[in-house]
Amino acid sequence: MSLPALAWRSETAPRRTVLWHDTAPGRTPTLPLDGDTTADVVVIGGGAGGLWAAWALLDADPALDLVLVEAGSIADGASGRGLGACSAWSGGTVHRGGPHGLDTALLRDAVVEVGGTAAAEQIACDFRYRGAIRVARDPRALTRLRAAVDPAAEDRELDRSALARRLLLAGGHGALSTPDCATTQPTLLLHGLAEALVARGGRIAEHTRALRISPGAVVTDQGIVRAERIVQATGAATVPGGSWSPRPVAETAIATSAVDPGVWERVGLRRGQLLHVAGRSDLRAVRTADDRLVLVGATAAPGLLGRFRPGDPALRALAGELAALLPDLATAPISHTWSWTRAATATHPVGVAADGLAWIGGHGPEPVAAANLSGRVLADLLTGSDSALTRVGTHGWD
Ligand SMILES: Cc1cc2nc3c(=O)[nH]c(=O)nc-3n(C[C@H](O)[C@H](O)[C@H](O)COP(=O)(O)OP(=O)(O)OC[C@H]3O[C@@H](n4cnc5c(N)ncnc54)[C@H](O)[C@@H]3O)c2cc1C
């Protein structure tokens, strides 16, 4: 199949950096750990899982002495690189009830909880509660989307003509419109959460890598943290308790330069609204606050990770998808491209073992609300609270 002409061929090559990192205001990282220390709880990992777990723990007990260690910088991991989608989406697999699912009603509450926390803590992270349009590229995808309709939500099915009236998009077989979805600038949200944690007395040590975990202590490259409770939030595929595919998936993202509002008007995508295109592999896109399109999709080329340059198959394929799906954006210059690996997961582990070791990870393709909810579940489990969250019992934790 020949691909449409790609804008980046004739423009300056896209920056190979994460748009979210590139456009976030400069931030001074917290200092590494300064030798051995003690704490009530140590959290390992400054992604969505670790930060929301730390947040919920301090919320439950403001007097808690909490240390969070992060190997690199806050938001370096998958949760600072994806789309920042915040929804109750189950996809029919990941979060829907059952032994490994998060309850969708609780997830819907979590969407509101994330927005409320951002507002209360004055975290300017472009949180927009604009819903999602989930488009099926083929009949099988339409069946999958229909199966994921939540009867309790106000999801609406759009046939081809209703979809065409909403979105100028090529090739949709039908769609779902769902109000229960927000988007955020994920890096800004995580930076803001980290700042709010520090303001509440939490200690964050960036550039501090955990080397060994044992009951009662975490050995890092900057010293030992002794704590009775330890939360491992080191990213999908590294936390225990999950059912991970041994083959990680390579995720690629492209961002366009700002697109003229008149073009957006024609296309029909609102700022902050999520566009999910379901097919043999799913694509997700969002129109950012500054009118770019960010498109994310899995590529089958993990070997290309970190080596993108114009012409590389993964970037080329994604740019081709963009041009094919949204022809009005086909000539928009691509300003940024980045990639990362994630686990291909079937489960959503949150767990606490008897020896005080706990874990959280695997938040799915629209991870923000799931990470928030998991963080609160974990905090209740760790503090022994008899709460609505710990009582539901079908949430995939031990
Ligand atoms: C389109 C799409 C589809 C996705 N689908 C899925 C899916 O199906 N399932 C799924 O699980 N996820 C999926 N994801 C990824 C999902 O976004 C991530 O799983 C989730 O955001 C990870 O959050 P986290 O906090 O667990 O990990 P991360 O954001 O990766 O954060 C982990 C942090 O731990 C730090 N760290 C690692 N090791 C150490 C160490 N030794 N010491 C100190 N710090 C350490 C890292 O530096 C990092 O900052 C998808 C993402 C996208 C965009």
Side-chain angles (χ1 to χ4, degrees):
M1 186 185 82
S2 71
L3 293 172
L6 300 177
W8 49 259
R9 278 191 178 158
S10 53
E11 302 285 332
T12 320
R15 285 169 61 76
R16 283 171 231 159
T17 53
V18 181
L19 171 77
W20 313 125
H21 296 176
D22 205 24
T23 53
R27 162 183 177 272
T28 310
T30 54
L31 293 173
L33 199 68
D34 184 19
D36 297 355
T37 188
T38 57
D40 297 321
V41 184
V42 57
V43 177
I44 308 167
L51 287 166
W52 282 117
W55 178 258
L57 281 161
L58 275 182
D59 204 42
D61 180 1
L64 206 65
D65 183 9
L66 182 145
V67 172
L68 185 152
V69 295
E70 161 56 49
S73 302
I74 297 294
D76 264 359
S79 41
R81 293 168 182 260
L83 272 186
C86 180
S87 78
W89 168 249
S90 71
T93 53
V94 181
H95 298 139
R96 173 80 78 195
H100 299 302
L102 287 173
D103 183 279
T104 42
L106 291 175
L107 276 167
R108 283 205 303 275
D109 290 349
V111 178
V112 179
E113 181 75 22
V114 169
T117 303
E121 297 302 319
Q122 300 186 331
I123 301 173
C125 59
D126 295 332
F127 180 91
R128 285 168 203 254
Y129 207 154
R130 292 273 163 84
I133 298 205
R134 305 189 185 278
V135 178
R137 269 180 156 178
D138 53 52
R140 273 180 73 171
L142 193 55
T143 308
R144 179 153 68 92
L145 287 184
R146 282 184 179 138
V149 169
D150 185 345
E154 289 171 32
D155 294 346
R156 278 204 302 130
E157 193 173 333
L158 307 174
D159 62 18
R160 275 179 198 243
S161 53
L163 172 62
R165 282 196 297 278
R166 289 271 199 104
L167 264 186
L168 199 57
L169 174 136
H173 277 248
L176 285 186
S177 161
T178 172
D180 272 319
C181 182
T183 57
T184 61
Q185 205 276 35
T187 293
L188 290 180
L189 175 62
L190 298 183
H191 285 175
L193 266 181
E195 200 176 307
L197 272 173
V198 171
R200 290 191 174 201
R203 289 184 278 157
I204 297 184
E206 287 169 82
H207 299 288
T208 301
R209 178 176 293 278
L211 303 174
R212 279 197 311 282
I213 304 173
S214 67
V218 176
V219 178
T220 79
D221 56 2
Q222 307 293 328
I224 299 173
V225 189
R226 290 179 207 287
E228 273 186 20
R229 286 164 286 177
I230 297 169
V231 177
Q232 187 178 350
T234 47
T238 57
V239 292
S243 145
W244 313 112
S245 152
R247 285 195 50 177
V249 177
E251 211 65 60
T252 308
I254 53 175
T256 68
S257 303
V259 171
D260 187 84
V263 174
W264 279 121
E265 197 66 30
R266 264 202 320 277
V267 170
L269 195 67
R270 300 165 70 204
R271 288 195 186 108
Q273 190 176 29
L274 180 75
L275 172 62
H276 168 193
V277 182
R280 226 158 24 119
S281 66
D282 286 12
L283 295 167
R284 285 180 171 76
V286 71
R287 174 182 168 189
T288 61
D290 58 354
D291 284 337
R292 301 165 186 267
L293 183 89
V294 178
L295 179 70
V296 172
T299 72
L304 292 173
L305 269 182
R307 294 195 280 117
F308 285 113
R309 50 186 188 275
D312 278 342
L315 167 58
R316 187 183 163 84
L318 204 54
E321 297 272 20
L322 169 62
L325 274 172
L326 297 164
D328 279 49
L329 300 185
T331 54
I334 293 172
S335 63
H336 294 72
T337 181
W338 66 101
S339 60
W340 67 102
T341 39
R342 66 168 171 87
T345 172
T347 65
H348 185 107
V350 173
V352 180
D355 54 10
L357 298 181
W359 57 88
I360 173 171
H363 314 293
E366 297 175 17
V368 181
N372 166 282
L373 176 55
S374 299
R376 287 184 286 130
V377 169
L378 190 66
D380 283 358
L381 289 172
L382 266 179
T383 53
S385 307
D386 177 24
S387 76
L389 296 181
T390 55
R391 275 196 302 268
V392 176
T394 55
H395 294 54
W397 53 81
D398 298 353

